[in-house]
Amino acid sequence: MRISLALSTLSSLLGVVASPVNIIRTSNSADAHKIAAEVLIISMFTPEANIWYNIPEFNLLARYITVPGFSPLFPDAHCTRDGSICQAVTGEAEINAAVTITSLLHSAKFDLRQTYFLIAGIAGINPKLATTGSVTFARYAVQVALQYEIDAREIPSDFPTGYFSQGSQAPGQYPGSIYGTEVFEVNDDLRQLAFKFARKAKLNDSAPAQAYRINYANDSKACSGAEPPSVVLCDTVLSDNFWVGTLLAEAFENTTTLLTNGTGVYCSTQQEDNATLESLMRGAISGLVDFSRIIIMRTASDFDRPFSGQTAAEVLFAEQGGFDPAVTNIYVAGIEVVKGIINGWHQQFQAGVKPSNYIGDIFGSLGGQPDFGPRQ
Ligand SMILES: *[C@@H]1O[C@H](CO)[C@@H](O)[C@H](O)[C@H]1NC(C)=O
Ligand SMILES: *[C@@H]1O[C@H](CO)[C@@H](O)[C@H](O)[C@H]1NC(C)=O
Ligand SMILES: *[C@@H]1O[C@H](CO)[C@@H](O)[C@H](O)[C@H]1NC(C)=O
Ligand SMILES: *[C@@H]1O[C@H](CO)[C@@H](O)[C@H](O)[C@H]1NC(C)=O
Ligand SMILES: CC(=O)N[C@H]1CO[C@H](CO)[C@@H](O)[C@@H]1O
């Protein structure tokens, strides 16, 4: 599905060079040689990874660290010489994300207990909330395809969609069967800081993206699709399945509302984050990472549904022009987040950003009482 494009580097965009501070902490001798990254960028595939190379701020290709269990396509983690900033590339979709992140957390080469994880990838976008090129920061990640599915041609006549919760009898009913990976909630206080950092960025855009998004201008329900790119606080939803179209999008809006008990806002669409978060949460249970140090940033490359008068297949195959600005804005906005954390390390980030909201999964595995899910 994804188009591969040669992306020029952005060396001229940022004049200021943030010099990553010190580190490779040596608190006890067993950990002395481990890389204690302050920020670890999680990319999913080549264009998302490459946008961080040949930049003026730091050189992620100074160190290649082969990690057993990483994808055959992306066998190495990358780090700056001092180890303060690293990157892992998971490979696309849920299985790759879960296996790569789990392998990373159990690698003896890293000490990730104080690391901030910046999930930084492209995504589909709900034109009710934003447009292509926009940068979103999520509080909830919702797994929407973990449901029963009946082909739309065979659904009961009173069903609005073929998707409905496992253990339920119809769309709209709360799931009777919970696997535990349906919803994750991350640190909202950290999200607000990341949002503030990213808003310093001058977002990239392109003439083809502008020309295409005009089509949403007169669609009263989806007119945000025609606005210029912006930085937005809204949630992310995922499935291995790359869905497109008004009916599936609305069905999954409903699923998001249902699974987050009305709080989550279906906004960006992607294929990895419940898997990445499940791995990070299991790592947090094992004391390997701090689940309050995760940022989910998704930039919008394509619309999840057509404009009025267009079909679902037409939007899927259209040249929407959003891919290049979305990839560029991973760096343009993401670098502000990385600089914000590195420059504020001693004053704020080393000690951590205390979440005022619940964080974790639907079971309350990390303690606390989820604000979604069946009450225990
Ligand atoms: C967007 O990025 C591309 C590629 O670096 C660049 O050529 C273009 O001038 C940028 N446009 C804006 C509006 O920043
Ligand atoms: C939107 O409506 C205006 C005013 O009716 C019209 O001039 C314009 O062509 C329409 N744009 C699209 C993309 O349909
Ligand atoms: C979404 O939920 C609304 C309100 O319950 C319902 O009217 C609509 O048919 C649902 N849409 C889909 C596609 O399931
Ligand atoms: C979420 O909604 C379900 C279904 O309405 C309800 O059973 C559950 O108690 C709610 N959970 C919370 C935490 O409010
Ligand atoms: C790692 C993990 O929990 N992944 C889950 C994400 O959702 C899919 C459903 O499509 C589950 O099968 C996975 O277990």
Side-chain angles (χ1 to χ4, degrees):
M1 263 329 305
R2 312 269 196 221
I3 345 145
S4 215
L5 294 160
L7 294 152
S8 52
T9 60
L10 296 151
S11 41
S12 61
L13 268 176
L14 278 147
V16 187
V17 177
S19 51
V21 287
N22 66 23
I23 178 164
I24 299 192
R25 276 178 286 278
T26 53
S27 48
N28 73 53
S29 57
D31 290 339
H33 300 294
K34 294 192 176 190
I35 299 170
E38 295 176 359
V39 177
L40 188 134
I41 297 160
I42 299 178
S43 312
M44 274 54 72
F45 75 134
T46 303
E48 293 171 357
N50 287 357
I51 200 70
W52 292 100
Y53 308 149
N54 303 310
I55 59 174
E57 294 84 4
F58 49 80
N59 177 18
L60 273 181
L61 300 182
R63 292 170 75 178
Y64 285 64
I65 298 133
T66 304
V67 181
F70 269 26
S71 160
L73 297 178
F74 307 104
D76 303 310
H78 301 293
C79 292
T80 54
R81 177 69 54 205
D82 68 0
S84 63
I85 305 172
C86 296
Q87 177 194 47
V89 187
T90 62
E92 291 169 273
E94 295 175 50
I95 291 169
N96 283 321
V99 176
T100 296
I101 298 301
T102 299
S103 302
L104 172 73
L105 302 192
H106 289 276
S107 163
K109 294 168 182 166
F110 292 92
D111 173 358
L112 302 171
R113 289 173 298 171
Q114 293 197 320
T115 303
Y116 285 82
F117 295 90
L118 175 63
I119 300 175
I122 61 168
I125 192 70
N126 177 355
K128 292 177 182 172
L129 291 158
T131 193
T132 48
S134 291
V135 178
T136 69
F137 290 93
R139 171 172 163 188
Y140 292 101
V142 182
Q143 213 294 319
V144 288
L146 187 55
Q147 302 200 69
Y148 293 140
E149 181 191 3
I150 298 176
D151 187 286
R153 291 163 295 191
E154 296 177 295
I155 60 177
S157 59
D158 58 341
F159 276 24
T161 175
Y163 278 96
F164 48 110
S165 299
Q166 292 181 168
S168 82
Q169 307 288 317
Q173 292 179 8
Y174 201 75
S177 159
I178 305 263
Y179 287 7
T181 57
E182 291 84 351
V183 186
F184 292 95
E185 185 169 349
V186 299
N187 187 343
D188 187 45
D189 300 71
L190 177 60
R191 176 172 83 133
Q192 301 291 344
L193 290 173
F195 174 73
K196 206 180 79 191
F197 292 142
R199 293 238 292 188
K200 293 181 188 162
K202 184 179 177 306
L203 297 184
N204 189 262
D205 199 3
S206 73
Q210 287 164 357
Y212 185 81
R213 74 167 68 97
I214 293 288
N215 289 308
Y216 290 85
N218 292 343
D219 188 337
S220 60
K221 273 166 70 180
C223 56
S224 294
E227 301 283 316
S230 57
V231 183
V232 190
L233 294 167
C234 58
D235 296 314
T236 195
V237 296
L238 77 149
S239 155
D240 270 332
N241 190 294
F242 191 135
W243 74 93
V244 178
T246 303
L247 289 174
L248 279 178
E250 287 181 2
F252 293 152
E253 284 175 16
N254 287 351
T255 306
T256 301
T257 304
L258 187 68
L259 289 177
T260 61
N261 288 56
T263 318
V265 182
Y266 167 116
C267 177
S268 67
T269 67
Q270 38 83 25
Q271 297 178 295
E272 291 88 12
D273 296 351
N274 88 318
T276 297
L277 292 166
E278 177 71 14
S279 297
L280 288 169
M281 197 201 64
R282 293 185 192 188
I285 292 171
S286 307
L288 297 171
V289 300
D290 178 350
F291 199 80
S292 75
R293 299 184 181 215
I294 300 167
I295 297 163
I296 307 171
M297 184 185 82
R298 286 282 179 171
T299 64
S301 56
D302 50 271
F303 290 103
D304 71 342
R305 67 195 79 190
F307 51 79
S308 66
Q310 189 189 35
T311 67
E314 282 166 356
V315 65
L316 179 60
F317 299 124
E319 282 296 338
Q320 301 186 24
F323 185 88
D324 285 349
V327 170
T328 303
N329 286 336
I330 288 176
Y331 164 74
V332 169
I335 194 70
E336 296 296 339
V337 178
V338 175
K339 285 196 304 190
I341 293 171
I342 298 285
N343 294 341
W345 185 254
H346 293 295
Q347 303 89 302
Q348 181 171 28
F349 289 97
Q350 181 171 24
V353 177
K354 198 172 153 36
S356 50
N357 61 311
Y358 169 80
I359 60 169
D361 68 353
I362 201 164
F363 294 142
S365 300
L366 299 175
Q369 179 70 44
D371 51 351
F372 55 90
R375 286 188 185 285
Q376 305 301 314

